[in-house]
Amino acid sequence: MLLLWPCLVLSLSPWSAAARRPSGRYWLTDAKGLAREFDGIGAVSGGGATSRLLVNYEEPYRSQILDYLFKPNFGAALHILKVEIGGDAQSTDGTEPSHMHYENDENYFRGYEWWLMKEAKKRNPNIKLIGLPWAFPGWIGRGENWPYHHPDVTAYYIVSWIIGAKRFHDLDIDYIGIWNERTFNSKYIKLLRSTLDKQDLQRVRIVASDNLWEPISFVMLLDCELREVVDVIGAHYPGTITMPSALLTKKKLWASEDYSTLNNEIGAGCWARILNQNYVNGHMTSTIAWNLVASYYEDLPFGRCGLMTAQEPWSGHYTVDPPIWITAHTTQFTQPGWHYLNASGRLDGGGSYVALTDGKGNLTIIIETMTHKHSACIRPPLLPYSVSPQKATFYLNGSFSHLEALQMWYSKLEFKSANSTLFQSLGPKKVCEGVLTVNLDLDEVYTLTTLKTGRKSPFPDPPPSQPFPSTYKDDFDVRNPPFSEAPYFADQTGVFEYFVNTSDPGEHVFTLRQVVNQRPVTWVSDAENTISIIGNYKWMNLTLSCDVYIESNRGGAFIAGRVDKGGIYVGDAKGVFFWVLPDGTYRVTGDLYGKEVLMKGLSGVRAEAWHRLTLILTGSNASGMLNGYPLWENVTITKPANGWAAIGTKHFEFTQFDNVHIQAS
């Protein structure tokens, strides 16, 4: 715990435990100029579909979650929001729709990232916006899984997204990236810059390459034209270290994706450590967390790796996890445009401190003492180090020598109990003739600041957690849907959108349609089949019914239960898949790929006609119905034992779905 002494008592009794702590002295001054400009703390929505379930929350819970993320001086108070430019392909936990599925197609209302950026701007008009593609629609590659063979096409596609953000949503994009964690192309980056400039988008800055420090920084040193057009070198999971070549470019250096860790106390420790040490060790002036909010099914890859958790829109339940309040230690008391002091560095007893100023007399100091055991991020490996309880004495000089008090905020992460102290105000603390002494324990975070704007005023507890409803129906009869995706469906390969079927005068006017008709330029190996999951991963027994309409003779559709994998692993998904094909046959398989055939036969199904499929799973027995009549039965299922429900198609082709009904347990 912290001890601060009045001016007449500058040291502890030699017999006290605190007096035996290692001591360090640190000088904070702006008298000799300032260090690097601070660019802010942010988070990623995307990479992929990580905010998918957030849009389905009802009010007031949805607005409460957004306030915790973006509202200044309230919760995380983020300075930066980075979003995926949807590319119709799997990008970690799902797919996000492109604004241009096809070359002659433009729609700037698909998905939810537009909505999310607007909600962030409502709360913080100064928040910075970044766009980055993980994948691209297939037409960009002209038949190849590569976006750089036709760089003019790719640049046009990306710049169209930026222009659409402004034209349709009044959103100014501040930064644009190249291709997430994949090879960069110097010719493309230069062409992107010139394309932006031709559209009077000189203010949009380029971040490259959202991968490793090298080779981008090394190439920039050799290519002055590339060095001129890249504004920020962004590295992913740098481990708080910067390569010498990146420093030599004299460009802004960012951890443009970091964290990616379970949002418990250890995740909070990881986040606290890298927020300071990315600058102290690596001169990085921005750190951006993947991901913003864990709003996707928890059993998908990297479950609960968001700054907070909101994965139950059906119940309204969400949790404000410790990383939110660790973020607040920095974001509520700094702003982009502030500068680090030259004195920021390591503490003698382990841990670190950073000090920032707005150049107008305000000062913020953030201190962390995270131990190795309690602050390991998911990547990269953390080399051994030690931290001990210690006494730190700060000497305030220059513009800060006159300060008489600093506001103090405190967090203590507990690992043997559930009694962590998170973002607690300790009130004003006196500065004695420019000297401030702090006794530091392990796994603590302190903020000492001249600002009095900090706030922790949480909303009342949300509703209790509830599993996904065991009975669920959706007829997709929504005339003007607020979002292009139906509630709770999480696309894993392909894109399933609300559709108005004007050719059907009957009950299937409003449907859900799979709309990707060409394999995208992928970020990971998408499945050969499109698939959207829904429900509770723990489901064992279920009856799933759905109407399907195969639009071409090369197509095929399925419904499924006990689907055991999603996200980047969806291609290896097992389950029970009931397929119908337009050649009049059916097939039951134990895998998405279709190799493990459990049953097959004739069905009479044809293209351009509606058919109702029903899958029944009870214990180890599976059966299926077509148009209300039994088609196959008594198929023995041994594994998997549980999983999601799903719908999907055989290939990338247009297929419609309607009247989904699930009864599960």
Side-chain angles (χ1 to χ4, degrees):
M1 191 55 191
L2 174 143
L3 294 173
L4 285 172
W5 302 98
C7 295
L8 295 178
V9 183
L10 298 180
S11 63
L12 297 173
S13 163
W15 306 108
S16 70
R20 295 191 296 272
R21 297 183 179 202
S23 298
R25 296 186 293 176
Y26 314 96
W27 281 262
L28 304 181
T29 182
D30 58 357
K32 296 182 180 180
L34 301 174
R36 290 184 175 237
E37 182 180 3
F38 174 64
D39 294 308
I41 306 302
V44 181
S45 172
T50 52
S51 304
R52 172 66 192 91
L53 297 174
L54 176 60
V55 299
N56 300 135
Y57 271 81
E58 295 183 357
E59 296 295 350
Y61 310 115
R62 191 171 72 175
S63 288
Q64 291 174 3
I65 296 164
L66 293 166
D67 283 353
Y68 279 121
L69 295 169
F70 301 119
K71 189 175 180 179
N73 303 312
F74 185 80
L78 292 169
H79 303 135
I80 297 170
L81 172 60
K82 181 176 181 178
V83 304
E84 177 176 351
I85 299 174
D88 292 344
Q90 173 61 241
S91 53
T92 299
D93 288 296
T95 66
E96 300 204 22
S98 170
H99 59 290
M100 298 178 72
H101 292 317
Y102 334 113
E103 190 167 3
N104 60 351
D105 160 76
E106 288 187 68
N107 185 325
Y108 296 92
F109 295 91
R110 293 185 182 121
Y112 44 82
E113 302 294 7
W114 313 106
W115 165 84
L116 185 63
M117 288 188 283
K118 287 189 289 187
E119 292 295 326
K121 278 285 187 181
K122 284 180 186 178
R123 289 159 174 81
N124 178 8
N126 296 319
I127 197 168
K128 301 296 183 182
L129 300 177
I130 306 175
L132 174 67
W134 269 249
F136 302 85
W139 64 271
I140 294 289
R142 296 292 197 261
E144 296 187 56
N145 198 45
W146 194 247
Y148 298 141
H149 286 318
H150 305 277
D152 55 330
V153 174
T154 305
Y156 163 75
Y157 169 79
I158 294 297
V159 173
S160 294
W161 183 86
I162 297 171
I163 293 171
K166 182 63 175 178
R167 179 181 176 187
F168 295 99
H169 302 285
D170 197 27
L171 291 168
D172 291 313
I173 304 302
D174 299 286
Y175 297 90
I176 195 71
I178 307 305
W179 188 13
N180 183 76
E181 296 176 358
R182 294 296 179 262
T183 303
F184 70 92
N185 180 280
S186 297
K187 179 181 178 181
Y188 168 69
I189 296 173
K190 297 170 188 176
L191 183 59
L192 177 62
R193 178 73 270 166
S194 65
T195 306
L196 288 165
D197 293 345
K198 288 176 182 177
Q199 296 294 330
D200 293 325
L201 293 170
Q202 292 86 355
R203 60 175 177 74
V204 180
R205 300 178 180 180
I206 292 178
V207 181
S209 65
D210 280 300
N211 198 352
L212 305 174
W213 294 120
E214 293 182 343
I216 183 69
S217 58
F218 181 75
V219 175
M220 287 171 63
L221 292 174
L222 300 176
D223 186 338
C224 60
E225 185 181 354
L226 180 64
R227 187 165 68 250
E228 180 67 24
V229 301
V230 173
D231 299 282
V232 178
I233 301 179
H236 286 196
Y237 308 97
T240 77
I241 303 299
T242 302
M243 298 297 289
S245 58
L247 291 167
L248 287 173
T249 66
K250 300 188 184 301
K251 293 292 184 178
K252 288 179 176 291
L253 308 177
W254 289 3
S256 54
E257 184 178 314
D258 217 332
Y259 174 65
S260 186
T261 302
L262 184 67
N263 55 23
N264 57 10
E265 271 72 11
I266 289 179
C270 153
W271 188 229
R273 178 175 54 80
I274 65 177
L275 282 179
N276 267 20
Q277 295 190 25
N278 275 349
Y279 180 75
V280 170
N281 300 335
H283 303 283
M284 289 166 260
T285 55
S286 177
T287 297
I288 300 174
W290 187 89
N291 56 72
L292 174 71
V293 52
S295 200
Y296 47 100
Y297 290 116
E298 184 169 346
D299 292 287
L300 287 169
F302 305 101
R304 289 194 60 182
C305 281
L307 296 180
M308 64 179 292
T309 305
Q311 59 191 20
E312 289 187 21
W314 49 87
S315 71
H317 180 74
Y318 63 86
T319 58
V320 185
D321 298 298
I324 288 288
W325 302 116
I326 295 300
T327 310
H329 272 281
T330 298
T331 54
Q332 289 204 23
F333 309 107
T334 60
Q335 288 297 325
W338 284 41
H339 282 79
Y340 288 95
L341 299 187
N342 285 302
S344 299
R346 299 183 183 91
L347 296 167
D348 290 355
S352 65
Y353 69 96
V354 294
L356 302 97
T357 181
D358 63 354
K360 301 175 183 178
N362 283 309
L363 172 68
T364 292
I365 308 164
I366 304 113
I367 306 166
E368 60 82 20
T369 59
M370 295 299 119
T371 57
H372 183 279
K373 182 179 180 181
H374 296 148
S375 68
C377 304
I378 194 171
R379 67 178 76 86
L382 182 60
L383 296 176
Y385 69 90
S386 61
V387 181
S388 59
Q390 59 194 291
K391 180 169 67 175
T393 300
F394 295 92
Y395 296 85
L396 310 185
N397 295 318
S399 299
F400 317 120
S401 59
H402 69 284
L403 294 178
E404 297 180 353
L406 292 173
Q407 302 295 316
M408 181 167 291
W409 291 80
Y410 171 71
S411 291
K412 170 74 171 181
L413 299 177
E414 296 285 355
F415 297 90
K416 295 182 179 179
S417 70
N419 296 321
S420 291
T421 301
L422 296 171
F423 201 58
Q424 177 183 351
S425 174
L426 299 183
K429 301 300 176 181
K430 288 184 178 180
V431 177
C432 304
E433 298 181 357
V435 179
L436 180 67
T437 299
V438 186
N439 285 328
L440 304 171
D441 210 335
L442 305 181
D443 298 318
E444 294 182 332
V445 182
Y446 292 95
T447 299
L448 299 151
T449 180
T450 55
L451 299 182
K452 300 179 180 179
T453 52
R455 187 156 61 103
K456 183 181 181 182
S457 301
F459 291 110
D461 289 341
S465 175
Q466 296 288 339
F468 193 94
S470 58
T471 299
Y472 185 75
K473 296 181 179 180
D474 196 338
D475 59 12
F476 311 118
D477 290 352
V478 183
R479 189 168 296 274
N480 294 299
F483 298 99
S484 59
E485 298 141 310
Y488 312 147
F489 279 93
D491 303 345
Q492 301 301 303
T493 298
V495 174
F496 295 72
E497 296 180 349
Y498 280 115
F499 180 65
V500 180
N501 185 8
T502 55
S503 65
D504 190 308
E507 63 174 317
H508 299 294
V509 175
F510 299 101
T511 66
L512 192 69
R513 190 190 199 203
Q514 200 293 120
V515 297
V516 178
N517 66 354
Q518 183 180 3
R519 187 174 182 82
V521 176
T522 60
W523 183 68
V524 292
S525 297
D526 279 28
E528 295 295 325
N529 329 91
T530 74
I531 178 173
S532 187
I533 62 171
I534 188 171
N536 187 340
Y537 186 78
K538 296 179 181 179
W539 280 347
M540 299 175 63
N541 302 321
L542 90 160
T543 299
L544 166 62
S545 296
C546 180
D547 298 337
V548 301
Y549 183 91
I550 303 168
E551 296 190 29
S552 73
N553 285 321
R554 65 176 293 272
F558 70 80
I559 62 174
R562 298 185 187 175
V563 178
D564 70 343
K565 288 185 177 66
I568 53 177
Y569 310 117
V570 70
D572 297 324
K574 305 291 186 181
V576 183
F577 297 82
F578 175 16
W579 306 78
V580 289
L581 307 174
D583 64 359
T585 65
Y586 77 90
R587 184 171 297 181
V588 183
T589 68
D591 63 333
L592 174 62
Y593 195 70
K595 284 187 174 181
E596 186 184 338
V597 179
L598 306 175
M599 177 78 79
K600 63 181 180 180
L602 298 176
S603 66
V605 168
R606 66 183 191 279
E608 298 183 332
W610 283 97
H611 302 278
R612 186 158 186 81
L613 307 185
T614 301
L615 173 65
I616 304 167
L617 301 178
T618 306
S620 61
N621 185 270
S623 60
M625 302 175 69
L626 176 65
N627 298 325
Y629 296 95
L631 181 64
W632 54 274
E633 58 187 358
N634 298 325
V635 172
T636 300
I637 306 299
T638 58
K639 58 182 182 179
N642 54 275
W644 295 289
I647 58 174
T649 69
K650 183 181 179 183
H651 303 294
F652 291 94
E653 74 251 347
F654 297 127
T655 303
Q656 296 178 53
F657 301 85
D658 203 359
N659 299 320
V660 169
H661 182 191
I662 303 171
Q663 183 68 50
S665 63

